[in-house]
Amino acid sequence: MTLGTPLTEVGKAEKAEKKSHPHSMTDIQVLVFIVCAMATMTLALLDESIVASAVLPIVRDLDPAHGIERFPWLITSYLLAATAAQPLYGRLSDSFGPRPVYLSALATFLAGSALCAGAQSLPLLILFRAVQGLGGGGLISMTLIVIATLYPPKSRAGRTNTGGLLISAGIIAGPMIGGPLSQELSWRWIFLLNVPLAGLALAGIAWALRLSVRGTRRPVDFFGSALVASATCALLLGITTYGEQHSFSGPVVPYISGGLMMFVLFAVRQLKVVAPLMPLTLFKDRVFRYAVILQFLGGLALLSLPVFLINYLNIVRGVDLNAVGLYLIPLAVGVVLVFLTWGRVIGRTGRCKPVLIATTATAVAATAGLAMAVADAPMWQLDVLLVLLGAGLGGVTQIALFMNQSAAAPDQLGVVTTTSRFATMMGITIGSGVLGAVLNARFASSAQASGITDPDSAATGLAGLPPAGRHLVTAAFAHATGTVLLTAAGLLLLALITALLMSDVNVNELTEAAEEAREDARTDAEHTLSDPLHPAGPAGLGSEGSGPRGDGGRPA
């Protein structure tokens, strides 16, 4: 800058520089954080499904006698821990700032991965998977919170491309990596690979992430957290047990009734505590209320479908489980396309609701179309419908979450994000149980003559049947899958009605308001630092705990 540069130009340059470095982070720090955050999200997404393709090596090594019966708990324990911890992550983030909570979640995921890699028994592996899920559930939510903190809504809408790629990678890579890796090397490498990658990400984020958000320092309701975690686990255990037994016998009813009772107690407590984990007053807002309902229905009827599609491709179409990811590429393409589209449309128009309605309607049409096509349609028709289903899968819950975050107050961003994620994850887990029960009932009634009435044993039992029996089983499984998809389409129709009732969010207006608030806060901070009588001013900068601080007590 020369001495002759006008002061107005200097001010514009300084303002542009501050905008390019959110929260006093340099361009390099922002880049390092984004790369590390995307890497950790990819690991967390992969670990939700990658274990399912390594069943036989894990069972053969740790529990040959009862491993097949207990193996589903490797997936269930991860999902239970990740879901139950969501409300606590949101309140901790709002109270202490996103940075220390993010690093704690990543460290927990890293420790859980290392413990899983060294597990010497299946019960221990199930326990360590819960530790891994506790961290993995926080990684995704905290990444969303930090990105929402760094960027205003309009700018964030234009940065959705990477999210679509990550979801697509999780859909394709999970089934394709776990099987070959466990067969060629060892199933332990599924978890060992996380250790160096998560370790590098932890170091990179600890160095790069600098946030001026310190949190409200409000008390955290740990008893309420334990209550909602217990309620979540009891309810999901009841649904999971019902999915295994196909009846309400045994502990199913006590689990479900106990879980619902604890949820009621948790709701009562939220009305009394000073800093609730899920403020019930948020449900007065038309955006939040309908967005949470939409995310639950989206998780219930849409995000739980890939596992049913994988089983369909394996049993009906004869696709090997190690190669099934290739047949899901059209689904992943739909996810990427809609992420490339909705972020740009919202960024240009500022309106979210039209895009939300369009993607939800696409999801309804795609699931209904797949229900009609699974019996005998050629693969190219299935591929087209899978692309459309991917458009719904990448749009419905993601846009609802974006709207929720955009409309949230800064001091409630963590609670809003994790409550939204909690609704989605509850929907996925409940959807797996409910739609699984639909599949079981429909298959059992159609395949009685073959002697195979359990869809879980259909894949292994096909080889021992004559051609007529195999045709009967595959046809029954196709019709059962069609019934599941029709049920999902009906639930998504409710989601479409919810989207129509939801208030729109104008990201242009919200972005302008956020920039004005940030500029006012920066001006107030500058006035405070220039005031010699203020504790944070020049006279008080040497005292402990004074001055502008970033998360973790580091200078911003």
Side-chain angles (χ1 to χ4, degrees):
M1 179 174 59
T2 62
L3 293 176
T5 304
L7 292 177
T8 56
E9 294 183 10
V10 173
K12 289 180 180 179
E14 290 178 350
K15 190 174 182 179
E17 183 179 0
K18 289 178 180 178
K19 284 186 177 181
S20 65
H21 300 121
H23 295 267
S24 301
M25 293 169 64
T26 65
D27 288 337
I28 295 297
Q29 285 176 318
V30 172
L31 178 62
V32 169
F33 166 74
I34 292 297
V35 170
C36 292
M38 295 304 102
T40 57
M41 280 189 70
T42 302
L43 293 177
L45 287 168
L46 283 176
D47 274 66
E48 290 180 4
S49 59
I50 195 172
V51 174
S53 55
V55 177
L56 293 180
I58 293 176
V59 168
R60 186 173 55 244
D61 190 13
L62 296 182
D63 191 354
H66 307 288
I68 293 295
E69 301 171 6
R70 299 173 178 174
F71 186 84
W73 288 101
L74 282 178
I75 300 172
T76 302
S77 62
Y78 185 98
L79 292 176
L80 279 176
T83 304
Q86 291 302 308
L88 181 60
Y89 274 118
R91 176 49 64 197
L92 288 173
S93 176
D94 289 337
S95 296
F96 301 103
R99 185 178 184 275
V101 183
Y102 195 149
L103 294 176
S104 298
L106 184 50
T108 303
F109 179 80
L110 175 61
S113 298
L115 290 170
C116 286
Q120 298 301 313
S121 68
L122 194 57
L124 277 179
L125 183 58
I126 292 171
L127 174 63
F128 296 152
R129 277 282 287 174
V131 176
Q132 192 187 35
L134 186 65
L139 286 182
I140 298 175
S141 295
M142 294 310 303
T143 300
L144 295 170
I145 291 170
V146 171
I147 290 177
T149 303
L150 288 176
Y151 298 106
K154 185 173 182 178
S155 178
R156 195 162 67 249
R159 290 175 166 83
T160 60
N161 304 355
T162 307
L165 293 174
L166 291 181
I167 294 175
S168 303
I171 292 172
I172 298 173
M176 294 181 64
I177 293 176
L181 191 64
S182 60
Q183 291 172 9
E184 298 297 328
L185 296 174
S186 167
W187 61 266
R188 298 184 187 277
W189 279 96
I190 293 175
F191 305 108
L192 279 174
L193 285 178
N194 291 339
V195 176
L197 295 176
L200 288 173
L202 180 62
I205 292 174
W207 172 78
L209 187 59
R210 295 290 182 269
L211 298 177
S212 58
V213 179
R214 291 185 293 175
T216 59
R217 293 299 191 270
R218 301 178 74 183
V220 178
D221 181 18
F222 287 105
F223 178 75
S225 177
L227 196 60
V228 72
S230 301
T232 302
C233 290
L235 183 61
L236 298 185
L237 283 172
I239 294 170
T240 302
T241 306
Y242 173 76
E244 294 174 352
Q245 298 179 354
H246 314 316
S247 69
F248 285 98
S249 60
V252 175
V253 174
Y255 274 145
I256 294 178
S257 59
L260 293 175
M261 187 179 300
M262 282 188 283
F263 269 122
V264 172
L265 294 175
F266 172 73
V268 172
R269 182 173 177 81
Q270 296 310 286
L271 296 172
K272 299 179 179 180
V273 294
V274 176
L277 295 173
M278 291 184 186
L280 300 185
T281 54
L282 288 175
F283 287 92
K284 296 179 181 179
D285 183 78
R286 284 175 59 87
V287 174
F288 180 86
R289 179 169 67 246
Y290 289 115
V292 168
I293 296 172
L294 189 60
Q295 286 181 283
F296 176 77
L297 289 173
L300 180 73
L302 194 57
L303 298 181
S304 60
L305 288 182
V307 66
F308 295 99
L309 294 174
I310 289 173
N311 290 332
Y312 163 80
L313 290 169
N314 176 234
I315 294 171
V316 179
R317 300 285 176 164
V319 179
D320 186 86
L321 285 176
N322 290 337
V324 75
L326 297 175
Y327 288 79
L328 293 178
I329 287 177
L331 184 69
V333 168
V335 173
V336 173
L337 288 177
V338 78
F339 265 86
L340 289 171
T341 303
W342 76 256
R344 293 181 180 180
V345 172
I346 292 175
R348 289 176 182 175
T349 65
R351 299 187 62 196
C352 301
K353 186 174 178 178
V355 186
L356 176 64
I357 292 172
T359 54
T360 310
T362 302
V364 174
T367 50
L370 278 170
M372 304 300 178
V374 289
D376 53 7
M379 280 302 301
W380 69 266
Q381 289 185 13
L382 291 179
D383 290 341
V384 172
L385 291 167
L386 284 175
V387 171
L388 295 176
L389 183 65
L393 193 147
V396 177
T397 57
Q398 305 301 320
I399 298 173
L401 174 61
F402 173 78
M403 294 172 71
N404 241 350
Q405 286 187 316
S406 299
D411 62 340
Q412 290 186 324
L413 180 60
V415 167
V416 167
T417 301
T418 52
T419 301
S420 300
R421 284 277 303 155
F422 180 78
T424 300
M425 296 177 73
M426 286 288 287
I428 293 172
T429 310
I430 293 174
S432 299
V434 171
L435 296 180
V438 172
L439 180 76
N440 292 332
R442 184 70 175 88
F443 179 81
S445 64
S446 302
Q448 286 181 350
S450 68
I452 298 177
T453 57
D454 183 5
D456 294 334
S457 59
T460 55
L462 275 178
L465 293 176
R470 285 198 297 271
H471 176 74
L472 179 61
V473 170
T474 55
F477 200 92
H479 286 108
T481 304
T483 304
V484 167
L485 290 166
L486 276 178
T487 305
L491 293 169
L492 287 171
L493 192 58
L494 294 177
L496 179 59
I497 296 172
T498 304
L500 291 169
L501 294 173
M502 189 173 174
S503 298
D504 201 357
V505 172
N506 191 314
V507 297
N508 290 337
E509 295 177 359
L510 291 171
T511 299
E512 292 175 3
E515 290 177 350
E516 290 177 1
R518 186 176 296 179
E519 189 64 31
D520 291 343
R522 185 183 293 115
T523 302
D524 292 342
E526 290 173 354
H527 288 166
T528 298
L529 291 175
S530 63
D531 184 359
L533 300 179
H534 194 279
L541 286 177
S543 60
E544 184 180 356
S546 62
R549 310 287 289 182
D551 274 358
R554 290 177 173 80

